[in-house]
Amino acid sequence: MTKLPRPGRLSRRRLLAAAAATPLLPAVRTAGAHARTRAATPDPYAALGAEVVNEFSTAWSAYRRHAWGRDELRPLAATGSDFFIQGSTLGLTIVEALDTLYLMRLDAELDSGVRWVKDNLDVAQDARVQVFETIIRLVGGLLSGHLATKDATLLALARELADRLLPAFTKSPTGAPYRYVNLATGSVSGTENYLAEIGTCIAEFGELSRLTGDHKYYNAAKAALRAVYDRRSALDLVGTALNVETGAWTDTTATLDPPVDSFFEYLWDGWTLFADRDLRTWYTTLTTAVFQRLADRRDGRLWFRQAHMATGADAGHTQSELTAYYAGLLAQSGRTADGELYHDSWTDVLAVHRLPPEYIDYRTLAVVNHAYPLRPEYVDSCLFLWMATGKDRYRSRARTMWQRQRQYCKVANGYTVVNDVTTSPMRLGDLTPGYWWSENMKYYYLLFSNAPRFDYESNYLSTEGNVLRGLR
Ligand code: DMJ
């Protein structure tokens, strides 16, 4: 295994230059010029950090009592549910939680989670799984679990799982993966696939290539990104969905909203992690077009409309809460002012609604989709904007969101999704999503605590919050 550089000792520029000289060297994405200072006075957020750990531990105990080993906890029914395969588990919550447990120094719980994975996780089940979700949640979770614990079995499982997913890429005539694959037989299905699902794998597959020395994972992920980029329009816009066999666009809507969102994130991440200049070019080209054609600046705020990829004609004015992550990405990729402005836009939403609705009409901030499935994206951006700028306002905004999560989503066995944010009281659903363990709680913890096991100067968190660089 290649030795990691000593993060924090080298400037970001030097790290990238070093990595560029040797592809797949362990380049490090820093979080930007992190201006956080270790104040001599007590950190006013420290008590919140302790509160986050306490809430996480309480929910974890409930998961252990009521759903141990199941994919997800249903806190109200006090039972578990399946995410990937009906009637079977892939231990999603445990895998998602591993590196958060490590960061929070909940080492006994981490040990029991690793033990469950080693004794029970079956990645060869004769069942169809969704390729994208399996990569970002399970391959990524196993990799960050391995990096946290140095446990070789976790890496071996990540590799075996990736090998079982690879037919989705290698059987595709275009290189864009099929949407589903059977883990036991390698049979593929789902010829129409979405940009986020096609293009959100280079962080996990690239890291696997780095750790194993086998470039096939990186190459598959890059070919998938290329399959999309090569089909951009004359306006340098990409659509929403492709037929992975013919390469024809099946949805020509250019948007930043799901199911496109993290496609853009991983172009930038692939560049910063692996110093692949193609990915930087692709990101820059497409982002320039996004700002020319989709950016909608109104009332002093910034939003991103939907447009036809060939003509640029208006195709919609909604915005998904999931797109709030983009504020952090913009800051990381050098558009800090735009990132801050976009975060201000979402903060306006929180001045109108108690929790961010899943979709709004950004022209009026009216609710289009009433749910709040415990999404992490607003706080995700708080973390990256804070690390990039050092401004207290992002910790303060995260504190507001934390208080609202406690007020509206907290139930007897932890935290649950909200089906309707507009009713009083809010109408609750019954699920603690896997990403809540990997994303929300990790972001709050890192924002409020001086986390000793995290390198704030030099780190990389995947789209699912899995820490692939920066664990100490
Ligand atoms: C997470 O699974 C990932 O962040 C993904 O990229 C999209 N968003 C969900 C959580 O909202």
Side-chain angles (χ1 to χ4, degrees):
M1 186 179 110
T2 320
K3 214 165 167 254
L4 284 169
R6 296 168 67 195
R9 302 287 169 128
L10 295 174
S11 73
R12 176 165 178 260
R13 187 186 300 268
R14 284 180 56 200
L15 281 166
L16 291 175
T22 314
L24 290 189
L25 263 183
V28 174
R29 177 174 80 165
T30 68
H34 177 231
R36 205 170 70 100
T37 50
R38 284 166 199 268
T41 49
D43 187 335
Y45 295 90
L48 282 180
E51 197 173 282
V52 171
V53 176
N54 194 41
E55 293 296 307
F56 187 95
S57 300
T58 305
W60 184 254
S61 301
Y63 171 71
R64 287 212 64 148
R65 274 197 313 281
H66 303 301
W68 183 237
R70 300 289 300 279
D71 279 333
E72 290 178 314
L73 171 67
R74 291 179 57 204
L76 297 177
T79 186
S81 62
D82 310 315
F83 178 81
F84 291 99
I85 305 166
Q86 275 316 304
S88 189
T89 186
L90 283 163
L92 174 65
T93 287
I94 296 176
V95 176
E96 296 243 37
L98 292 176
D99 65 347
T100 312
L101 290 166
Y102 174 78
L103 287 167
M104 293 182 179
R105 293 184 288 175
L106 298 170
D107 291 337
E109 291 82 352
L110 174 61
D111 285 349
S112 62
V114 171
R115 173 57 44 210
W116 186 93
V117 169
K118 290 165 86 163
D119 291 347
N120 300 287
L121 181 56
D122 177 6
V123 298
Q125 299 182 46
D126 187 3
R128 186 182 91 147
V129 296
Q130 196 175 340
V131 173
F132 155 75
E133 296 289 6
T134 311
I135 292 173
I136 67 166
R137 294 170 184 244
L138 292 182
V139 176
L142 290 166
L143 286 173
S144 58
H146 163 72
L147 293 169
T149 62
K150 307 285 182 281
D151 191 303
T153 308
L154 299 182
L155 176 58
L157 280 165
R159 186 177 198 169
E160 184 186 349
L161 185 53
D163 285 338
R164 292 177 180 281
L165 296 168
L166 266 182
F169 296 80
T170 55
K171 288 184 177 178
S172 164
T174 60
Y178 288 88
R179 203 158 178 231
Y180 303 100
V181 67
N182 181 299
L183 289 175
T185 66
S187 72
V188 294
S189 55
T191 51
E192 182 182 28
N193 207 352
Y194 303 95
L195 261 53
E197 303 196 25
I198 292 169
T200 313
C201 42
I202 203 155
E204 294 79 8
F205 273 15
E207 179 63 3
L208 195 53
S209 285
R210 187 183 76 82
L211 290 167
T212 62
D214 188 338
H215 286 211
K216 70 182 174 188
Y217 310 105
Y218 185 85
N219 292 340
K222 185 173 176 183
L225 288 166
R226 186 192 297 279
V228 174
Y229 183 73
D230 284 352
R231 290 171 174 79
R232 69 194 181 282
S233 73
L235 302 181
D236 286 333
L237 292 174
V238 289
T240 293
L242 274 183
N243 181 313
V244 304
E245 291 180 341
T246 65
W249 289 103
T250 55
D251 183 340
T252 51
T253 310
T255 180
L256 290 183
D257 281 349
V260 173
D261 49 343
S262 49
F263 169 80
F264 291 97
E265 182 180 1
Y266 269 33
L267 286 173
W268 181 255
D269 291 3
W271 151 243
T272 55
L273 275 168
F274 306 113
D276 186 325
R277 290 190 171 90
D278 288 342
L279 301 180
R280 181 179 57 179
T281 302
W282 300 353
Y283 175 82
T284 305
T285 302
L286 298 182
T287 302
T288 301
V290 162
F291 271 84
Q292 276 173 355
R293 309 280 175 182
L294 304 186
D296 189 346
R297 297 178 191 273
R298 56 173 71 211
D299 305 328
R301 292 293 178 245
L302 172 64
W303 299 101
F304 297 92
R305 69 189 179 105
Q306 290 80 50
H308 191 283
M309 64 179 279
T311 64
D314 253 350
H317 301 89
T318 58
Q319 204 87 121
S320 166
E321 190 281 341
L322 283 95
T323 309
Y325 93 90
Y326 196 59
L329 176 62
L330 289 174
Q332 289 172 304
S333 59
R335 286 182 176 264
T336 307
D338 289 323
E340 293 200 79
L341 184 55
Y342 190 53
H343 204 264
D344 290 345
S345 305
W346 277 103
T347 305
D348 283 355
V349 174
L350 284 171
V352 177
H353 304 289
R354 294 163 292 176
L355 289 171
E358 186 78 337
Y359 273 91
I360 54 164
D361 180 330
Y362 65 75
R363 296 168 301 185
T364 59
L365 306 191
V367 179
V368 173
N369 179 320
H370 291 219
Y372 171 66
L374 272 176
R375 294 284 182 199
E377 286 77 13
Y378 179 78
V379 174
D380 179 343
S381 280
C382 286
L383 175 62
F384 283 101
L385 283 163
W386 174 57
M387 290 199 290
T389 68
K391 292 180 182 170
D392 180 71
R393 81 165 65 117
Y394 297 109
R395 292 176 102 188
S396 170
R397 289 177 182 181
R399 176 174 53 204
T400 301
M401 193 60 211
W402 168 251
Q403 287 162 347
R404 293 192 191 185
Q405 182 186 282
R406 286 201 65 172
Q407 184 174 355
Y408 300 114
C409 306
K410 187 170 164 143
V411 292
N413 288 312
Y415 287 80
T416 196
V417 296
V418 175
N419 287 342
D420 192 338
V421 300
T422 66
T423 58
S424 291
M426 290 189 195
R427 196 160 52 79
L428 300 180
D430 187 10
L431 187 72
T432 311
Y435 52 76
W436 182 83
W437 308 90
S438 180
E439 294 198 67
N440 305 48
M441 297 304 272
K442 183 183 288 142
Y443 302 148
Y444 286 124
Y445 177 69
L446 294 177
L447 277 156
F448 300 146
S449 311
N450 200 354
R453 290 182 174 178
F454 186 69
D455 186 337
Y456 284 89
E457 302 297 331
S458 180
N459 53 67
Y460 173 79
L461 279 74
S462 74
T463 193
E464 191 70 5
N466 289 309
V467 185
L468 300 182
R469 298 284 189 280
L471 290 171
R472 294 207 245 234

